Amino acid sequence: MQIRVWMGAISDRGRRTEAAAMSEQAEHGAAHRQKNTPGWTVTARPMIDVAGRILCLVLGAALLVAGLVGLFTGATEGELLIVLAAGLLLLVMPSIVDRLVKLRAGQFEVELIRQIAVNARKTAEALRRLGLADQLDAYATIYTELRDPELKGIRGEVLDRIVQRVSNAAAVEKFDKAEVRELFLNGSPIVRVLALGLMQGDLSLVDGDVLQEAIDRSLTGNEQYHALKVVRDGWGRLSDTQRNQLVNAIKTNARIERGPARREVAKEILGLGVSPRIP
């Protein structure tokens, strides 16, 4: 009788152990399934991506149509340019995003501040101190990758953003004139324009030889444009000899005529003559 009780107790314990094991296994399986089940944010991401692309294309096309209609309704040139630029940007935005995703996957990035530090350590430190390092690196990366001919206008806008950022920085931080000169003479195309942006923000950095080089042998049309702006804005800081040389360079440079914006600034400079008057 006692043996029978022991056997029953052992059997009950075994059943309880088996039941506990089965319960634990079920809980583990449920947890495993829950862990492997993607969240709603993951499953919704492709749909959001497609919807965003469609929205960009629809809005971009609508703005371009509105801009074309504006040509015949008396809209101002400035308004038309804004509408058309916004429409074009929205149309190409999906391709830009795709390029940036590929860049992120490939871990490619233009380290603009590191390039600057090679020839201008104090300038690089000042830009880092002002919190511009990541912004300038990001802009430079985007500019470098937008190689398609239809993206030329956007490349110019990105480069203008870089110039604007460093120009604002030069208005609040003192940069070394010798370093800015070295930046231009030894830098990449982006760095050369960046140096001109520093001069725009602080006219005490203006260097006649740099401006002569930027007009005569500019690497890009954008560089020549910003050099002309520095010449115009810093006219009173140039010597008579430098003004004469720059006027002759502008008159004999055929590339200036290829860009309406460059042509307009050059016209303003020639209107100053050799007068030391500050505009």
Side-chain angles (χ1 to χ4, degrees):
M1 180 68 179
Q2 190 174 5
I3 294 175
R4 193 175 299 170
V5 172
W6 288 346
M7 291 294 292
I10 293 172
S11 178
D12 289 341
R13 185 181 301 171
R15 283 195 294 271
R16 286 196 298 271
T17 303
E18 183 179 357
M22 292 177 64
S23 176
E24 182 180 354
Q25 184 176 3
E27 292 176 359
H28 178 74
H32 181 70
R33 286 193 300 273
Q34 185 177 5
K35 182 178 180 181
N36 290 333
T37 302
W40 70 270
T41 54
V42 176
T43 56
R45 191 175 300 162
M47 292 184 288
I48 294 174
D49 180 63
V50 172
R53 289 169 182 270
I54 294 173
L55 183 62
C56 282
L57 294 174
V58 171
L59 290 177
L63 287 174
L64 287 179
V65 171
L68 293 175
V69 171
L71 291 174
F72 305 98
T73 58
T76 65
E77 182 178 349
E79 292 172 343
L80 288 176
L81 288 176
I82 293 173
V83 171
L84 291 173
L88 178 61
L89 180 60
L90 285 171
L91 285 177
V92 301
M93 184 63 70
S95 63
I96 294 175
V97 172
D98 287 340
R99 284 180 176 273
L100 294 179
V101 170
K102 291 178 181 178
L103 288 178
R104 186 178 180 85
Q107 296 298 309
F108 173 79
E109 182 180 10
V110 176
E111 296 182 339
L112 186 60
I113 297 297
R114 182 174 295 182
Q115 292 183 31
I116 294 171
V118 172
N119 296 306
R121 181 180 55 80
K122 290 186 291 185
T123 299
E125 290 176 354
L127 293 172
R128 287 194 185 100
R129 190 165 56 251
L130 292 170
L132 293 176
D134 291 340
Q135 291 183 38
L136 294 178
D137 286 350
Y139 279 129
T141 300
I142 296 171
Y143 175 84
T144 302
E145 281 303 303
L146 300 181
R147 293 289 186 182
D148 296 339
E150 62 269 21
L151 301 179
K152 183 178 179 181
I154 298 184
R155 275 169 58 88
E157 290 183 16
V158 171
L159 201 54
D160 288 341
R161 291 291 184 91
I162 293 177
V163 171
Q164 186 61 51
R165 292 294 186 275
V166 298
S167 178
N168 293 342
V172 298
E173 182 84 12
K174 190 62 182 175
F175 289 85
D176 184 88
K177 184 173 182 177
E179 279 200 351
V180 174
R181 176 186 172 91
E182 287 300 310
L183 271 180
F184 180 88
L185 296 177
N186 300 302
S188 64
I190 297 179
V191 173
R192 284 165 66 101
V193 176
L194 183 147
L196 294 171
L198 290 172
M199 293 184 191
Q200 286 184 36
D202 180 3
L203 294 176
S204 69
L205 300 174
V206 168
D207 186 297
D209 293 336
V210 165
L211 296 177
Q212 187 80 35
E213 176 74 14
I215 291 173
D216 281 341
R217 288 175 287 276
S218 56
L219 300 183
T220 63
N222 201 290
E223 175 189 319
Q224 190 176 58
Y225 168 67
H226 286 290
L228 289 167
K229 288 182 65 177
V230 176
V231 171
R232 180 196 63 192
D233 298 341
W235 190 251
R237 294 180 177 272
L238 299 167
S239 67
D240 291 341
T241 300
Q242 290 172 332
R243 284 194 287 268
N244 278 313
Q245 290 174 342
L246 288 167
V247 165
N248 290 333
I250 291 170
K251 288 180 176 179
T252 57
N253 194 299
R255 292 182 59 200
I256 293 176
E257 292 298 316
R258 301 175 191 171
R262 283 178 277 170
R263 189 167 60 244
E264 184 63 29
V265 179
K267 183 179 178 181
E268 294 178 17
I269 294 170
L270 296 179
L272 297 173
V274 294
S275 169
R277 178 176 65 87
I278 299 177

